[in-house]
Amino acid sequence: MFDIEKMKAKGMDPRMIEICKQINENSAKRDSCPHHDFEKGSRPGDYICKNCGCKVGPDFMVGYRQGLKHGKEGADNE
């Protein structure tokens, strides 16, 4: 997470601060969601969770799907 107050204190560009705020908000949504249900976003490679509204890219989706697959396989072997 970006420390917005430190960024302001250092006099960083307000546009950069706003982008970092949006990143923090998206990360908080993503991390607090009990179960993502992604659909394709408006741009190729973008995905949006129908439950929490977080936006992720293709790298996250590959890891997320792999984690679900491995979790299911692990549960099947117990």
Side-chain angles (χ1 to χ4, degrees):
M1 295 292 253
F2 294 99
D3 188 330
I4 302 302
E5 295 309 314
K6 279 186 182 178
M7 293 175 76
K8 287 178 181 177
K10 290 183 178 185
M12 292 189 74
D13 185 329
R15 292 174 297 180
M16 285 297 295
I17 292 172
E18 183 57 34
I19 290 168
C20 290
K21 276 184 186 178
Q22 291 172 3
I23 292 170
N24 284 352
E25 290 168 5
N26 192 62
S27 295
K29 287 180 197 177
R30 185 194 65 221
D31 294 346
S32 66
C33 187
H35 179 74
H36 295 298
D37 183 10
F38 289 106
E39 62 185 0
K40 289 186 178 182
S42 59
R43 297 185 324 203
D46 283 351
Y47 297 88
I48 300 171
C49 177
K50 291 188 252 181
N51 295 324
C52 71
C54 77
K55 297 176 184 176
V56 299
D59 289 342
F60 182 89
M61 282 303 299
V62 168
Y64 186 75
R65 288 178 177 157
Q66 194 73 11
L68 290 176
K69 178 183 172 192
H70 285 221
K72 183 180 183 311
E73 289 172 356
D76 290 345
N77 292 328
E78 290 180 3

